[in-house]
């Protein structure tokens, strides 16, 4: 296949494959699953994604979880617009792939949306799960991952509840992550200040 066919979608493995993926009805197939099947899929996906994200982004992910727990309302207010933007980009890319416009515009939007949404939704569940686990004396990231995965799996019994819980977790994770990025360059520890305290002068 020529390289140009990847952008124009004329090759058999270019646009046609992605068009089939867009039209394969993945959401319909997920909707057709039995409730217990959705519970298992959501538990395994949240658990695996949480472990991967916390393993790869140890510093940022841990600070995101702490920020989300410390001030969840502010994180939700900041994260809700971000969730709408990321979801809109992903949906737009998905529609572009399925409408014959080509993969050149649609695929990057889908990839960007998925790259942003999935890890931050997982961090939102970890933050909520850690808060719940702390109520029973198990305040740790491992307990947070497990409790967040259980919360996501229990929501699988109802699709509207799943959408609501995932939206809340996504808003929480996105808002907390944005706040961590905005404060990444600030100095919070006293030892990092350029001017010494008055009692040391």
């Amino acid at each position: 296949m020529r390289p140009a066919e990847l952008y124009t979608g004329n090759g058999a493995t270019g646009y046609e494959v992605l068009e089939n993926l867009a039209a394969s009805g993945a959401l319909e197939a997920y909707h057709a699953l039995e409730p217990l099947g959705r519970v298992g899929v959501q538990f395994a996906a949240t658990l695996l994604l949480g472990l991967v994200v916390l393993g790869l982004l140890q510093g940022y992910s841990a600070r995101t979880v702490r920020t989300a727990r410390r001030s969840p309302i502010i994180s939700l207010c900041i994260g809700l617009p971000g969730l709408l933007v990321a979801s809109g980009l992903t949906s737009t890319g998905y529609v572009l792939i399925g409408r014959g416009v080509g993969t050149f515009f649609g695929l990057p939007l889908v990839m960007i949306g998925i790259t942003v949404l999935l890890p931050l939704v997982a961090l939102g569940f970890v933050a909520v799960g850690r808060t719940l686990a702390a109520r029973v004396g198990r305040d740790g990231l491992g307990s947070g991952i497990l409790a967040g995965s259980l919360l996501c799996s229990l929501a699988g019994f109802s699709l509207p509840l799943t959408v609501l819980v995932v939206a809340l977790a996504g808003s929480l994770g996105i808002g907390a992550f944005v706040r961590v990025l905005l404060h990444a360059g600030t100095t919070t520890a006293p030892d990092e200040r350029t001017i010494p305290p008055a009692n040391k002068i």
Side-chain angles (χ1 to χ4, degrees), residues 84-98 106 109-110 113 117:
L84 294 176
V85 171
S87 301
L89 289 175
T90 307
S91 302
T92 302
Y94 188 82
V95 170
L96 289 177
I97 292 175
L109 291 177
V110 173
L117 284 177

Side-chain angles (χ1 to χ4, degrees), residues 46 49 83 116-127 152 165-167 169-171 173-174:
T46 308
L49 193 57
L83 177 66
V116 171
L117 284 177
L118 292 183
L120 296 183
V121 168
L123 290 180
F125 275 114
V126 172
C152 184
V165 170
V166 169
S171 300
I174 291 173

Side-chain angles (χ1 to χ4, degrees), residues 160-173:
L161 182 60
T162 298
V163 173
L164 177 62
V165 170
V166 169
L168 290 176
S171 300
L172 184 64

Side-chain angles (χ1 to χ4, degrees), residues 32-172:
L33 285 176
E34 295 293 330
L36 288 178
R38 292 197 298 267
V39 167
V41 169
Q42 291 179 195
F43 176 81
T46 308
L47 181 65
L48 179 62
L49 193 57
L51 290 173
V52 170
V53 173
L54 287 170
L56 293 178
L57 303 173
Q58 296 180 3
Y60 282 106
S61 59
R63 279 182 285 172
T64 299
V65 172
R66 287 196 300 268
T67 302
R69 292 186 63 199
R70 187 169 56 246
S71 50
I73 302 300
I74 298 175
S75 297
L76 284 173
C77 293
I78 296 174
L80 184 58
L83 177 66
L84 294 176
V85 171
S87 301
L89 289 175
T90 307
S91 302
T92 302
Y94 188 82
V95 170
L96 289 177
I97 292 175
R99 290 295 178 87
V101 178
T103 62
F104 185 75
F105 297 104
L107 185 59
L109 291 177
V110 173
M111 295 304 296
I112 291 173
I114 291 176
T115 303
V116 171
L117 284 177
L118 292 183
L120 296 183
V121 168
L123 290 180
F125 275 114
V126 172
V128 176
R130 189 172 177 182
T131 301
L132 295 176
R135 302 288 179 136
V136 294
R138 304 284 296 186
D139 191 2
L141 286 176
S143 302
I145 295 173
L146 184 59
S149 302
L150 288 173
L151 175 64
C152 184
S153 66
L154 291 176
F157 285 106
S158 170
L159 282 177
L161 182 60
T162 298
V163 173
L164 177 62
V165 170
V166 169
L168 290 176
S171 300
L172 184 64

